[in-house]
């Protein structure tokens, strides 16, 4: 499982990076960002905002763009990237359950951080999303080892009495 995860993260990093890099090179002018800085509406300011068709609310994004911009496929690319990040999370969660050495999980965390930093160059940073999966597994391993250690100690004390 350890080798699978490290290879999977490396392959996925290369795959996503190449696709986004080529997409940006082909479809976007050099001064245009691939993703918006934030998709959370900024309610502090109403300048450069537009009306949302569904709710009639005015939205402005953190980078000053509004949702009336010409559709350059950025939302579609963001949706595609989000799907891949969710897939990485699911694969990591399934695979890390098979690992019982904390040192391996530490190496996987390093690999996740490297992958996130590399993809940050094309606007994708998922490092925070991966940490909780690995921390949960480390806590689970610690609890299992604590339980087995307590059980062994009790058995040893019973034998000596």
């Amino acid at each position: 499982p350890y080798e699978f995860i490290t290879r999977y993260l490396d392959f996925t990093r290369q795959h996503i990076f190449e696709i986004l890099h080529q997409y940006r090179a082909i479809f976007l002018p050099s001064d245009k960002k691939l993703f918006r800085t934030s998709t959370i509406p900024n309610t502090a300011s109403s300048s450069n905002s537009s009306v949302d068709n569904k709710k009639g609310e005015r939205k402005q994004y953190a980078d000053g763009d509004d949702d009336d911009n010409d559709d350059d496929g950025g939302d579609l690319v963001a949706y595609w990237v989000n799907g891949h990040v969710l897939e990485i999370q699911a694969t990591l969660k399934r695979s890390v359950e098979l690992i019982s050495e904390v040192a391996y999980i530490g190496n996987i965390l390093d690999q996740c951080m490297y992958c996130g930093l590399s993809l940050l160059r094309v606007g994708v940073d998922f490092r925070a999303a991966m940490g909780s999966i690995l921390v949960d597994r480390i806590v689970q391993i610690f609890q299992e080892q604590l339980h087995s250690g307590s059980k062994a100690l009790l058995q040893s004390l019973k034998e000596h009495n």
Side-chain angles (χ1 to χ4, degrees):
Y2 170 73
E3 289 179 13
F4 167 75
I5 293 173
T6 56
R7 288 181 183 168
Y8 174 78
L9 287 171
D10 192 44
F11 174 77
T12 304
R13 175 186 57 82
Q14 292 173 357
H15 174 73
I16 293 173
F17 182 84
E18 286 296 320
I19 288 174
L20 293 179
H21 188 68
Q22 291 175 13
Y23 177 87
R24 185 167 38 181
I26 295 170
F27 296 110
L28 294 179
S30 61
D31 62 338
K32 185 92 171 170
K33 291 181 182 179
L34 184 58
F35 300 109
R36 294 179 183 193
T37 305
S38 174
T39 57
I40 300 171
N42 182 358
T43 57
S45 172
S46 62
S47 63
N48 290 331
S49 59
S50 63
V51 176
D52 183 33
N53 292 335
K54 295 178 185 173
K55 298 180 184 175
E57 298 173 347
R58 301 183 71 76
K59 287 188 186 178
Q60 179 190 9
Y61 296 94
D63 61 358
D65 285 344
D66 58 27
D67 48 0
D68 280 344
N69 285 349
D70 294 336
D71 186 18
D72 58 6
D75 291 339
L76 182 61
V77 173
Y79 181 78
W80 180 83
V81 168
N82 186 51
H84 277 280
V85 169
L86 292 174
E87 181 182 327
I88 292 169
Q89 283 181 309
T91 302
L92 185 64
K93 189 171 181 119
R94 279 191 314 267
S95 300
V96 80
E97 292 297 324
L98 303 173
I99 296 176
S100 59
E101 294 292 326
V102 175
Y104 287 146
I105 294 176
N107 291 340
I108 292 169
L109 178 62
D110 289 342
Q111 186 75 19
C112 286
M113 295 302 116
Y114 173 72
C115 185
L117 282 172
S118 178
L119 291 176
L120 185 61
R121 294 184 352 207
V122 290
V124 179
D125 187 11
F126 61 83
R127 294 173 295 168
M130 301 302 154
S132 64
I133 295 169
L134 299 173
V135 168
D136 290 345
R137 180 60 183 147
I138 290 171
V139 168
Q140 185 181 21
I141 290 171
F142 177 75
Q143 289 173 339
E144 290 170 0
Q145 290 180 351
L146 185 63
H147 179 71
S148 66
S150 299
K151 196 173 182 181
L153 178 64
L154 288 175
Q155 182 65 29
S156 177
L157 289 174
K158 285 180 184 179
E159 290 175 3
H160 289 298
N161 286 335

